[in-house]
Amino acid sequence: MDLILEGIKKAFCLIFTLDYEVLKILLLSLRVSGTATLISLFFGIFIGIIVALSRFPGRRIVVTLINTGMGLPPVVVGLFVTIFLWRSGPLGFLGILYTPTAMIIAQTIIATPIVMGITLAAIQHLPEKLRLQILALGATHLQMVWIMIKEAKLPLLAGVMAGFGGVISEVGASIMVGGNIKGYTRVLTTATVMETSRGNFDIAIALGVILLALAYLVNLILTQIQQRERLR
Amino acid sequence: MRDEERRENEEGSIPILEVRNLKVEKGGSMILNIPFLQLYGKEILSLIGPNGSGKTTLLQTLSLLLSPFQGEIFFRGKKVGDCYSFLEYRRKLALLFQEPLLFNTTVFNNVASGLKIRGIKRNEIETRVEENLKRFGIDHLRDRSPKTLSGGEAQRVNLARAFAIQPEVLLLDEPFASLDPPTRESLIEDLASILQQTRMTVILATHDRMEALRLSTRMAVMKDGEILQTGPPEEVVNRPMNEWIASFVGTETILSGRVIKKEEGTLLVAVEGEEIEAVGDAGVGEKVILCIRPESVTLSISTARETISARNVFIGRIEEIHSMGFYHKVRMNCGFPLVAYITRTSMENLSLKVGREVTASFKATSLHVIRQKEDQGIERLKIK
């Protein structure tokens, strides 16, 4: 019990004294997961809408694949990204294994199906004739897609939250493709794993608290937007 | 006014819309087949027909929302796809669905949406939205979210959104079908006067013949993807081309009989042992169908035939009385079945009851005669 209390005390110490090491880890986590979420929003929403609005043979299989992808195990993603970026691997010439870029790639692969699946569901949840009504008001197909996105923005925000939540808390892929290099690829989750294995529970708890607080803050902001929209 | 219009149309003016050999197939069967249809400016054409008769398919095909289709559409005499791009053409039309399908923003922005899509300047958007909010009496709702609106209010916003575009042709697909009767009444009334003011060209799809009668200048009856009859509403209602149309446009009494005598345009038709006089054209011995509209039947309780000037006077027993709201539907047996509509007041004055004997009369000129060729068994389909 003392261990936990000590840890929490230490955590507050680290947070309020703005420990340089911790701050760096925090910022890198935000940068890697934030970038990955943004990229996954682009691909996820784009492909999600195409699949939602089009009818083609084998569509059901694609939808099932996307839904499966929503639960993609980060370790598996980490494994394959590592293989691809390995010096002798197909993309080895890029030389980006064990860099933040590799972590962004891995996290993007994890977040994209989440955003895609939620987009698909959100767009399909809109009234079926809405698409026709928008076109009947004179919209081009691009304008129609944009209006559909605006109509589905509340569930899409949930997609953003789920995508960001999925990658900020993910550890397997980050540690495999990033390598947890101090001051370079060390993020909140990988640092927590390391400190725990070393028995430095106080620092580990501190990092855990920061991670929780961060997740809470981001979701708080998005929820605020979502609820304000809903009440309008 | 009406004559002026007709002359304008006749004098070689070009129809706004013309459709040639329009065909739509779905799952191997033809769901729409319109060899030819024209729509002139300021016309309000109603498409009436039961569910699944192809009204919605026609409207959506005209709006280019359904593909693929075969055939050609001409807008002001020029072929769509050649002289007009599909988008250009689509932007000249507005289609409104049965459900309001409003966007999740304010009422004002909803009405503005078609204009924003067209990239119209902000101050013009404001004037046009303003104008249409007032036109449909929803000015006070401008900042509200569609989620807080009643069904009637939402459909007004929907109409305002379509009117704001100032389309050259407005397509309305069952715009009142999901509204409760009082709301529907007031909206139809308002729309009728707005259409009269704006002189907009409209195609209105409805399964309700009363809506069609009140709003349209021309009527097209649809069944199984085809247009069976077009003409002025009174003509379609009073002179239906076949038994099915007669029944669909509200002819309650449809009798089949045989002409036994012909005299100066007046026929004497034998119907189930009774003789009915009708004005029409058919040869002696020919099988005909007689259509008697319920509003042209007069009821009285005196059984003295002499007091009634009409030639067709029959004594019958009331079998059924149904309240239809403002009027009553009385079903009698006069040797043949006959249905009359009477007002609530006359109902009370005559103190009609089931089982009571009454005298029913109708004029020979109020009947409509459909010649029935012996080999062509007309489908007997009762609507309702």
Side-chain angles (χ1 to χ4, degrees):
Chain A
M1 200 59 211
D2 278 355
L3 196 69
I4 297 171
L5 283 177
E6 270 309 304
I8 292 172
K9 230 196 291 178
K10 174 95 182 174
F12 278 96
C13 237
L14 284 171
I15 295 163
F16 288 109
T17 56
L18 287 175
D19 182 87
Y20 178 69
E21 190 70 18
V22 173
L23 200 65
K24 235 178 137 178
I25 293 175
L26 171 66
L27 289 178
L28 184 69
S29 287
L30 274 178
R31 184 161 74 88
V32 168
S33 298
T35 313
T37 308
L38 283 180
I39 299 172
S40 70
L41 282 183
F42 178 77
F43 288 112
I45 291 181
F46 186 70
I47 300 171
I49 283 183
I50 290 177
V51 176
L53 295 183
S54 53
R55 297 284 173 272
F56 52 86
R59 182 176 176 276
R60 203 171 279 249
I61 295 168
V62 173
V63 173
T64 313
L65 279 176
I66 293 172
N67 287 335
T68 312
M70 288 177 81
L72 213 55
V75 203
V76 178
V77 175
L79 170 67
F80 282 98
V81 173
T82 307
I83 293 172
F84 268 80
L85 296 180
W86 199 257
R87 200 168 303 151
S88 55
L91 299 173
F93 64 92
L94 294 173
I96 53 168
L97 191 60
Y98 306 126
T99 64
T101 312
M103 294 163 78
I104 290 173
I105 292 173
Q107 292 198 355
T108 303
I109 295 172
I110 296 167
T112 302
I114 298 176
V115 176
M116 207 184 286
I118 291 176
T119 304
L120 183 67
I123 297 288
Q124 283 186 334
H125 196 71
L126 293 173
E128 217 181 303
K129 279 187 181 162
L130 187 67
R131 183 178 67 87
L132 295 179
Q133 176 68 82
I134 296 169
L135 290 174
L137 285 168
T140 62
H141 282 81
L142 214 62
Q143 284 176 322
M144 182 267 289
V145 168
W146 178 238
I147 295 175
M148 296 283 274
I149 292 176
K150 284 206 291 190
E151 282 303 294
K153 69 187 160 195
L154 297 190
L156 286 182
L157 271 174
V160 179
M161 291 190 242
F164 183 78
V167 290
I168 191 83
S169 60
E170 170 284 322
V171 60
S174 292
I175 217 158
M176 288 162 88
V177 305
N180 192 28
I181 303 163
K182 189 180 176 192
Y184 186 49
T185 58
R186 184 164 297 169
V187 288
L188 286 167
T189 50
T190 58
T192 310
V193 171
M194 184 192 67
E195 298 298 351
T196 309
S197 65
R198 280 184 184 165
N200 297 335
F201 295 121
D202 46 358
I203 300 178
I205 291 172
L207 292 168
V209 169
I210 293 171
L211 186 60
L212 277 176
L214 187 66
Y216 180 75
L217 201 70
V218 170
N219 282 300
L220 184 71
I221 294 166
L222 291 173
T223 310
Q224 284 294 338
I225 300 170
Q226 196 183 42
Q227 295 306 309
R228 204 181 57 212
E229 281 292 332
R230 206 175 66 84
L231 287 173
R232 210 177 57 189
Chain B
M1 199 66 188
R2 194 47 75 73
D3 281 344
E4 227 173 80
E5 259 172 60
R6 201 156 286 159
R7 213 172 311 130
E8 214 177 88
N9 292 347
E10 280 165 7
E11 277 170 16
S13 90
I14 304 162
I16 291 199
L17 270 185
E18 186 176 317
V19 156
R20 287 186 207 157
N21 297 319
L22 196 66
K23 283 180 185 148
V24 177
E25 269 177 57
K26 196 179 175 186
S29 64
M30 193 81 84
I31 56 166
L32 190 71
N33 183 8
I34 313 279
F36 187 73
L37 182 67
Q38 281 184 328
L39 183 72
Y40 279 94
K42 296 171 190 165
E43 249 190 323
I44 301 173
L45 171 69
S46 56
L47 304 173
I48 69 161
N51 292 333
S53 58
K55 306 183 299 281
T56 298
T57 309
L58 177 55
L59 292 186
Q60 293 192 359
T61 309
L62 284 175
S63 313
L64 303 182
L65 296 179
L66 276 192
S67 54
F69 66 88
Q70 299 168 39
E72 295 162 315
I73 300 173
F74 293 84
F75 185 80
R76 294 198 184 280
K78 290 176 187 160
K79 194 178 165 192
V80 174
D82 291 353
C83 300
Y84 295 100
S85 75
F86 289 133
L87 182 66
E88 238 180 310
Y89 165 74
R90 255 190 319 115
R91 289 195 169 171
K92 294 183 188 296
L93 272 56
L95 169 62
L96 188 138
F97 293 85
Q98 177 180 336
E99 316 87 57
L101 295 166
L102 298 176
F103 302 128
N104 194 7
T105 170
T106 59
V107 165
F108 184 95
N109 285 334
N110 263 288
V111 177
S113 56
L115 304 172
K116 283 185 185 159
I117 283 170
R118 286 166 176 72
I120 285 166
K121 288 202 195 81
R122 209 200 206 127
N123 38 8
E124 201 192 332
I125 291 185
E126 256 177 47
T127 353
R128 271 156 78 168
V129 172
E130 224 40 83
E131 181 192 354
N132 282 289
L133 287 174
K134 287 208 184 82
R135 179 173 278 162
F136 285 94
I138 44 172
D139 206 19
H140 59 290
L141 304 172
R142 52 187 299 149
D143 298 320
R144 291 263 292 271
S145 154
K147 284 178 203 152
T148 65
L149 301 180
S150 70
E153 288 168 336
Q155 198 57 288
R156 279 171 190 269
V157 176
N158 196 13
L159 280 161
R161 175 170 69 175
F163 270 77
I165 296 169
Q166 297 177 350
E168 298 205 42
V169 183
L170 177 64
L171 309 172
L172 303 172
D173 190 1
E174 299 270 10
F176 316 109
S178 51
L179 302 177
D180 57 83
T183 313
R184 180 187 314 188
E185 269 310 300
S186 81
L187 189 53
I188 292 179
E189 210 161 287
D190 288 359
L191 185 66
S193 77
I194 290 167
L195 287 176
Q196 204 158 36
Q197 282 163 29
T198 54
R199 316 290 291 145
M200 201 172 271
T201 311
V202 181
I203 305 183
L204 165 77
T206 175
H207 64 268
D208 183 343
R209 54 178 193 266
M210 293 311 288
E211 273 173 29
L213 277 170
R214 282 172 66 178
L215 294 169
S216 60
T217 58
R218 193 154 64 102
M219 205 182 230
V221 184
M222 289 191 76
K223 187 186 173 225
D224 300 332
E226 291 179 38
I227 293 179
L228 301 182
Q229 183 177 4
T230 57
E234 312 80 50
E235 187 187 299
V236 176
V237 170
N238 294 323
R239 308 248 168 281
M241 256 166 46
N242 65 34
E243 199 181 340
W244 186 87
I245 299 174
S247 159
F248 189 75
V249 297
T251 308
E252 295 274 4
T253 308
I254 298 171
L255 305 166
S256 65
R258 199 176 284 279
V259 179
I260 49 173
K261 213 165 122 192
K262 186 178 177 182
E263 218 168 66
E264 291 164 25
T266 306
L267 308 173
L268 197 62
V269 182
V271 176
E272 297 179 30
E274 298 283 341
E275 289 175 4
I276 299 177
E277 230 182 66
V279 173
D281 186 34
V284 174
E286 202 174 321
K287 255 180 109 177
V288 289
I289 286 167
L290 298 180
C291 301
I292 310 170
R293 295 199 60 84
E295 56 274 18
S296 48
V297 179
T298 315
L299 298 186
S300 70
I301 33 176
S302 108
T303 43
R305 285 191 179 219
E306 299 75 41
T307 54
I308 299 159
S309 65
R311 303 283 284 278
N312 291 314
V313 182
F314 299 93
I315 293 169
R317 194 174 293 278
I318 297 177
E319 289 188 327
E320 213 178 349
I321 300 176
H322 267 305
S323 168
M324 309 286 283
F326 300 111
Y327 57 92
H328 285 80
K329 178 169 154 180
V330 181
R331 189 183 293 281
M332 324 154 252
N333 184 0
C334 306
F336 54 88
L338 184 66
V339 175
Y341 288 170
I342 64 163
T343 61
R344 206 180 302 168
T345 330
S346 18
M347 173 90 183
E348 278 157 18
N349 289 345
L350 298 173
S351 53
L352 298 181
K353 287 195 289 285
V354 173
R356 179 149 197 182
E357 238 175 40
V358 283
T359 306
S361 63
F362 46 89
K363 290 184 177 155
T365 46
S366 68
L367 267 85
H368 173 54
V369 180
I370 301 173
R371 300 172 76 161
Q372 193 181 19
K373 293 180 190 82
E374 299 278 350
D375 51 347
Q376 180 204 337
I378 291 180
E379 210 177 324
R380 216 173 220 288
L381 185 66
K382 192 77 193 151
I383 314 289
K384 273 212 180 113

